[in-house]
Amino acid sequence: SPQRSDSPGGFGSDDDAPQQTNNAEKVAELKKLSMARLKEMLKERDEKTGGKKEELISRLLKPRKPELLILRARRKEYVPKVPSSNAAIMVALLLNHIPGTQGLTKERLMVLAEETGVSKESMSGDGSSFYDGWSGMKQLQEGDPALVRREKGHRYSLTTQPPESAGVAVANALHILAHREDMCTCGNPPNGV
């Protein structure tokens, strides 16, 4: 069965001719597998399992999600999807707040989250419903550990403890994923893209 690779192309990269051959070989190898096996492989990577065989193979050829996001999903812990308003809020906090300093206000955070490009929807909503990009903030503040904390004066920051699963770590993983999906507009791709 195909092995995971940490190369930018997931199972292989298209950067040069030998890699293209390798990618074609991986596609041929994956085509031989049953739909059940492909779905099993996708589930292990916390990827969508629906669709035609070609779509499943395409997802398997993409780079693997950061492990922290996969582990959180397996443990049934909340993982903001990319794209989403919650992912945009977390990436905005990661890029614009220095841990240990005063958090960001809701108003500033909404503007910064919109600027990330990590949400498909407008952070201010479409005017036809009560939903806006802030609607999921409660979800970010729940859990153990919470991903975002509210400070005095209604200011917000990413949690920093425990380091391996706090809001800062999850936001960094979401930032990597947003760049892999060509969504983040910050112009500063993190390591791991």
Side-chain angles (χ1 to χ4, degrees):
S1 90
Q3 295 296 312
R4 179 173 88 81
S5 167
D6 290 324
S7 69
F11 285 101
S13 175
D14 301 8
D15 292 342
D16 52 41
Q19 288 293 351
Q20 285 180 344
T21 303
N22 190 24
N23 200 41
E25 290 170 4
K26 296 295 180 188
V27 170
E29 214 173 306
L30 289 168
K31 282 184 178 181
K32 294 176 188 174
L33 300 176
S34 68
M35 287 290 285
R37 177 66 182 125
L38 293 173
K39 288 180 180 187
E40 184 182 306
M41 291 169 70
L42 285 165
K43 187 175 180 186
E44 194 275 329
R45 294 166 55 122
D46 188 40
E47 296 283 354
K48 293 179 186 174
T49 59
K52 297 178 181 178
K53 193 169 197 173
E54 294 76 25
E55 294 169 303
L56 304 186
I57 290 170
S58 176
R59 284 184 213 129
L60 286 167
L61 292 172
K62 288 179 15 182
R64 187 176 170 91
K65 286 181 183 178
E67 289 301 315
L68 175 58
L69 302 182
I70 294 170
L71 291 173
R72 285 184 65 87
R74 282 186 191 148
R75 292 189 305 240
K76 307 284 188 232
E77 295 172 342
Y78 176 61
V79 178
K81 300 292 181 207
V82 171
S84 72
S85 296
N86 279 358
I89 287 170
M90 291 193 67
V91 170
L93 281 167
L94 178 73
L95 297 174
N96 297 284
H97 178 256
I98 299 167
T101 64
Q102 188 176 44
L104 301 176
T105 63
K106 171 185 176 180
E107 294 75 20
R108 181 76 179 129
L109 188 48
M110 290 283 281
V111 169
L112 294 169
E114 183 87 40
E115 290 173 357
T116 67
V118 178
S119 179
K120 278 196 274 188
E121 308 298 324
S122 168
M123 293 299 292
S124 58
D126 61 10
S128 66
S129 69
F130 291 107
Y131 176 82
D132 67 14
W134 198 254
S135 299
M137 176 52 85
K138 183 177 178 187
Q139 202 169 16
L140 292 174
Q141 294 177 75
E142 295 172 343
D144 186 22
L147 299 174
V148 172
R149 69 183 187 101
R150 189 174 103 184
E151 305 168 2
K152 243 193 256 182
H154 297 281
R155 291 179 173 272
Y156 299 85
S157 62
L158 294 169
T159 58
T160 58
Q161 297 297 321
E164 68 281 353
S165 61
V168 170
V170 174
N172 189 55
L174 293 170
H175 189 214
I176 290 168
L177 192 56
H179 272 276
R180 287 182 184 167
E181 299 290 327
D182 291 325
M183 298 197 80
C184 187
T185 59
C186 77
N188 188 18
N191 291 333
V193 176

